[in-house]
Amino acid sequence: MALEHAILVSLSERAASGSDLVRRFDASIGFFWSATHQQIYRVLGRMEGDGWITSEAVAQADRPTKKVYAVTDAGRAELARWIGEPTTPDAMRSSVGVKMRGASYGDRAALLDDLRRQLDEHTKRLSLYEYLAARDFPDPSALDDADLDIYLVLRGGLLMEEFWIRWLTEYLDAHTRKESR
């Protein structure tokens, strides 16, 4: 996936300034596709040049004028084209998986400490996703269209965090039992 498509999805949901997009990436889209502030602004310029988005200068009180971006017909057509093209399944590329496999050849204690830290981060992220699901989608059966899509992607995030928690816990438990023998 190109960053352009993630931006088109976000702008299709709601027009935004570059700083608004950065916040959205930090708060939601970034859970699935990350980008730096510099990348987002650079790609916005390229997308505007390609005619996929337009910008409008909006004056602000006590702040500099900001550009608010919106998707054009050409941008909607590109997003529809991209959504319709076949997607290859994402391969799991995990440096932690490779480290777990090779732990016998290195500092296992340091790896176990790192895995405990990662387990804590995944547990916190799962709690955040659960909070967002309860707050934003109290009745998932009533959702349709875009809201249903957003909810189901959040469910994917919940399931992914549950996967990581189970896998890390299993690895840590197995080595804790081994050490206690």
Side-chain angles (χ1 to χ4, degrees), residues 11 15-16 44 47-49 51-57 67-73:
L11 290 176
L44 283 170
M47 292 172 68
E48 191 169 19
W52 291 359
I53 60 174
T54 59
S55 66
E56 177 184 345
K67 280 180 150 182
V68 174
Y69 297 92
V71 180
T72 64
D73 288 341

Side-chain angles (χ1 to χ4, degrees), residues 72-88:
T72 64
D73 288 341
R76 279 186 282 285
E78 169 54 23
L79 183 57
R81 182 206 63 77
W82 176 75
I83 289 171
E85 78 181 15
T87 306
T88 57

Side-chain angles (χ1 to χ4, degrees), residues 142-161:
L143 300 173
D144 61 7
D145 298 330
D147 289 335
L148 180 59
D149 294 334
I150 293 167
Y151 169 74
L152 291 171
V153 170
L154 178 58
R155 282 287 304 145
L158 283 158
L159 294 169
M160 185 63 70
E161 293 309 320

Side-chain angles (χ1 to χ4, degrees), residues 19-96:
S19 59
D20 293 334
L21 281 171
V22 167
R23 281 192 292 280
R24 285 186 203 167
F25 269 77
D26 289 345
S28 63
I29 291 174
F31 295 140
F32 300 96
W33 188 264
S34 61
T36 66
H37 301 126
Q38 295 83 2
Q39 288 172 313
I40 290 171
Y41 281 101
R42 186 172 46 249
V43 169
L44 283 170
R46 187 170 52 243
M47 292 172 68
E48 191 169 19
D50 290 343
W52 291 359
I53 60 174
T54 59
S55 66
E56 177 184 345
V58 176
Q60 303 181 95
D62 302 324
R63 298 181 70 185
T65 299
K66 68 178 178 179
K67 280 180 150 182
V68 174
Y69 297 92
V71 180
T72 64
D73 288 341
R76 279 186 282 285
E78 169 54 23
L79 183 57
R81 182 206 63 77
W82 176 75
I83 289 171
E85 78 181 15
T87 306
T88 57
D90 291 336
M92 182 173 170
R93 293 177 48 165
S94 170
S95 57
V96 74

Side-chain angles (χ1 to χ4, degrees), residues 160-174:
M160 185 63 70
E161 293 309 320
E162 289 171 359
F163 158 78
W164 279 107
I165 290 167
R166 284 195 320 264
W167 189 27
L168 294 170
T169 299
E170 183 176 333
Y171 189 92
L172 289 164
D173 287 350

Side-chain angles (χ1 to χ4, degrees), residues 84-125:
E85 78 181 15
T87 306
T88 57
D90 291 336
M92 182 173 170
R93 293 177 48 165
S94 170
S95 57
V96 74
V98 175
K99 286 182 176 188
M100 290 160 77
R101 181 172 174 151
S104 297
Y105 309 111
D107 185 348
R108 183 182 309 279
L111 175 62
L112 293 174
D113 286 343
D114 184 49
L115 296 180
R116 287 182 196 97
R117 179 193 57 79
Q118 288 189 41
L119 178 59
D120 183 58
E121 288 178 21
H122 286 290
T123 302
K124 288 176 184 171
R125 192 174 303 151

